Amino acid sequence: MKLPVRYLIVILTFICTLVCYIERVGFSIAYTVAADGAGVNQSSKGTILSTFYYGYACSQVPGGWAAQKIGGRRVLLLSFLLWSLTCALLPLDPNRVLLLVIARLLVGIAQGFIFPSIHTVLAQWVPPHERSRSVSLTTSGMYLGAALGMLLLPTLVKFRGPESVFLAEAALGASWSLLWFKYATDPKSTASGVGESVLPVNKKIDTHNKKPLSAKIPWVKILTSFPVWAIVVNNFTFHYALYVLMNWLPTYFELGLQLSLQDMGSSKMMPYLNMFLFSNIGGVVADYLITRRILSVTKTRKFLNTLGFLVASLALVVIPSFRTSGGAVFCSSVALGFLALGRAGFAVNHMDVAPRYAGIVMGVSNTAGTLAGIVGVDLTGKLLEAAKAANSDLSSPESWRAVFSIPGFLCIFSSFVFLLFSTGERIFD
C-alpha cells in the first residue's frame, strides 16, 4: 500500500531536524576540542558558539514570509544546500576568527529558514487531529540528532580530527536534499488535493474559510496578540535552556566534573534521547486527550506545557548539586525530557491559533528562541569566565550555579505566562 503523502512529508521533516541538530552539536564538539587545543578562553568560545544564533535570528521571520509566498518545500531545499556547502568549505581553525564568524553566520541564516518552512508545510498537509504527534515527531528529530551527535562525533573527532565532523555533516545535508527533492511534493502536485492537503494551494483557498492564501499577512494583529506572546515567551525559555545545555554540557562534563566525553560512552547521549522519547510521548498524549474529548485543545496545551516546564525547572536548578556523571546525566535528562514534553503545549500552539499563518507565527516565535541562544550561550561563557577568575577553576559547583538556575527560574515564569494568556482556539482568519 502506498504511503500517504502527508506521512512521507512528516518522515522527511523528522530527518531534516535530525540532520540539522547533528550539525549544531557537531560544531560545538569539534570547535570545543579545537579551541581548547589552541588555548581559547571560555568567553571567546561563548562568542563563537553564539554567532550561529545571530544569523539564525535574522532569517526566522523572512523564512516564514518566504515559505508563505514561494512554498516551504523550495525554501527547505535551498536552505539545506546553503548550510551543507558552507560546512563542506569551512576550515576549522580557532585562530581564523573572522572566517569562523562568517561561516557560522551563513549556517545560522540558512537554518533559520527551516522551522518556519516546516510549520508551513505541516499546516498544509497535516489535519488538526494529527498535528500534535506530527509536530512532536518532526521536532523530536532535533533531539535524536543531538543524541546521535553526542554519541558518535567525539569518536570521529578522536580518530579523524575536528575537521572530519564538518565533512560528515555536509554529506548528510546533501543526502537529505536529494531525498527531499525526489520525494517531497507541493500540495498543488497531488491529483485531487482531497484528504491530503489541508490548504490546497492549487485552488488558492483555505478549506476552512475560503480566503485566498495570498491575503495580506495581519502583522499588527499577530504582534499584539497575547496568545502569540505566550508562545513567544515559552519558545524563548525552551531554547535558552536547550542551547545552554547543548553548547555547554560538553564543557560541564570536561571541566565541571573532570570527565572525558570519550570515556562517558553512551551515557552522554541520554539527555537528548530522553527529549526524543518525551517529545513523542507528549504528542501522542495531546492528540489522545483532544480526540477523546477528555480535555479541550486549550486545556491540553496548558496542562502539558505547565507539567513539562515546572518539572524541568526543578531538574535544572539541582544539576550542580550532583557531582557524579550519573547524577548530572540524570538531572539534565529529566530537564530536557520534560521541556520536550512541554512542546506539545506551546510548540503545536502555532497551528492552533493561526493555521494559515503558522510559518509566520513560528518565525516570530523562533526569533525569540534564537535570541535566547544569543543571550544564553554568550552569557554562560561570561559567567564561567567570571567564576573562573573568582574560584581559579571551574570544578566547583558554585561556578555553575547561575548557569543552570537562570533557565530554571525562566521555566517557572514562562509556565505561568502560558497558563494566563494561551488559547487553543483559532484567532486568525
Side-chain angles (χ1 to χ4, degrees):
M1 184 175 69
K2 187 177 180 180
L3 188 70
V5 177
R6 68 181 185 276
Y7 295 158
L8 182 60
I9 293 291
V10 171
I11 291 170
L12 288 173
T13 54
F14 163 78
I15 298 172
C16 166
T17 60
L18 182 149
V19 172
C20 284
Y21 269 68
I22 288 178
E23 190 282 328
R24 296 190 199 184
V25 170
F27 180 81
S28 67
I29 291 172
Y31 175 71
T32 295
V33 171
D36 288 345
V40 177
N41 65 39
Q42 302 304 314
S43 181
S44 297
K45 282 170 61 179
T47 300
I48 294 295
L49 289 170
S50 65
T51 298
F52 168 92
Y53 302 107
Y54 286 93
Y56 197 62
C58 292
S59 55
Q60 292 293 319
V61 174
W65 177 87
Q68 186 85 12
K69 296 297 182 181
I70 67 175
R73 174 180 176 269
R74 296 183 183 90
V75 175
L76 272 177
L77 182 60
L78 291 173
S79 66
F80 248 77
L81 290 174
L82 175 58
W83 76 252
S84 299
L85 183 62
T86 304
C87 284
L89 299 177
L90 174 63
L92 181 56
D93 183 352
N95 296 314
R96 301 177 69 178
V97 176
L98 180 60
L99 184 61
L100 277 175
V101 166
I102 293 172
R104 293 311 290 168
L105 282 173
L106 283 176
V107 173
I109 290 170
Q111 291 200 15
F113 283 82
I114 289 172
F115 284 95
S117 299
I118 285 175
H119 274 67
T120 299
V121 169
L122 294 181
Q124 289 176 332
W125 282 105
V126 179
H129 65 279
E130 295 180 3
R131 282 177 181 161
S132 296
R133 60 182 180 269
S134 296
V135 172
S136 294
L137 177 62
T138 293
T139 56
S140 72
M142 301 187 299
Y143 321 131
L144 185 59
L148 291 174
M150 287 293 287
L151 178 66
L152 301 175
L153 295 181
T155 302
L156 183 62
V157 169
K158 180 179 179 179
F159 291 103
R160 296 290 183 179
E163 189 79 34
S164 63
V165 171
F166 294 163
L167 297 177
E169 291 167 351
L172 286 173
S175 299
W176 182 89
S177 299
L178 289 174
L179 288 173
W180 185 252
F181 180 77
K182 181 175 182 180
Y183 294 110
T185 180
D186 287 323
K188 63 184 178 182
S189 65
T190 58
S192 65
V194 178
E196 285 287 358
S197 172
V198 177
L199 303 176
V201 177
N202 56 321
K203 295 184 180 180
K204 298 292 182 185
I205 59 171
D206 182 337
T207 54
H208 295 293
N209 59 26
K210 310 299 183 185
K211 278 195 171 186
L213 284 176
S214 58
K216 186 177 179 180
I217 298 169
W219 288 107
V220 174
K221 189 175 181 181
I222 289 173
L223 295 176
T224 56
S225 167
F226 281 110
V228 169
W229 277 99
I231 297 171
V232 168
V233 169
N234 281 265
N235 200 326
F236 179 93
T237 294
F238 174 88
H239 284 97
Y240 187 105
L242 175 62
Y243 291 152
V244 166
L245 290 175
M246 180 182 296
N247 285 279
W248 289 102
L249 265 183
T251 301
Y252 179 64
F253 288 135
E254 294 273 1
L255 301 181
L257 300 180
Q258 305 293 305
L259 299 169
S260 168
L261 284 177
Q262 183 65 32
D263 294 338
M264 288 179 65
S266 61
S267 66
K268 58 183 175 287
M269 70 179 285
M270 290 308 299
Y272 305 109
L273 185 59
N274 218 37
M275 291 192 87
F276 171 74
L277 295 173
F278 273 72
S279 178
N280 286 290
I281 290 170
V284 171
V285 169
D287 280 345
Y288 178 83
L289 293 174
I290 292 168
T291 56
R292 295 298 180 93
R293 298 187 177 180
I294 298 171
L295 292 176
S296 66
V297 175
T298 298
K299 289 181 179 179
T300 296
R301 301 291 180 236
K302 291 185 177 185
F303 167 68
L304 289 170
N305 196 87
T306 304
L307 175 64
F309 274 56
L310 290 183
V311 174
S313 70
L314 176 61
L316 284 164
V317 169
V318 301
I319 285 177
S321 300
F322 291 83
R323 305 303 299 159
T324 64
S325 61
V329 167
F330 174 77
C331 288
S332 56
S333 296
V334 171
L336 290 178
F338 275 86
L339 280 171
L341 183 77
R343 285 190 69 93
F346 80 89
V348 190
N349 205 215
H350 301 84
M351 290 190 286
D352 296 327
V353 300
R356 172 179 301 280
Y357 306 111
I360 299 294
V361 177
M362 182 60 182
V364 173
S365 168
N366 233 26
T367 298
T370 308
L371 292 174
I374 295 171
V375 173
V377 175
D378 193 35
L379 176 61
T380 298
K382 289 179 169 56
L383 288 171
L384 292 175
E385 199 63 31
K388 185 178 180 180
N391 300 326
S392 74
D393 64 49
L394 296 178
S395 61
S396 167
E398 292 306 316
S399 300
W400 294 87
R401 192 77 64 189
V403 170
F404 298 116
S405 294
I406 291 173
F409 291 130
L410 282 174
C411 283
I412 297 173
F413 171 75
S414 299
S415 65
F416 281 105
V417 170
F418 200 79
L419 275 175
L420 289 173
F421 298 115
S422 68
T423 179
E425 302 300 319
R426 182 174 179 156
I427 60 176
F428 296 102
D429 294 329

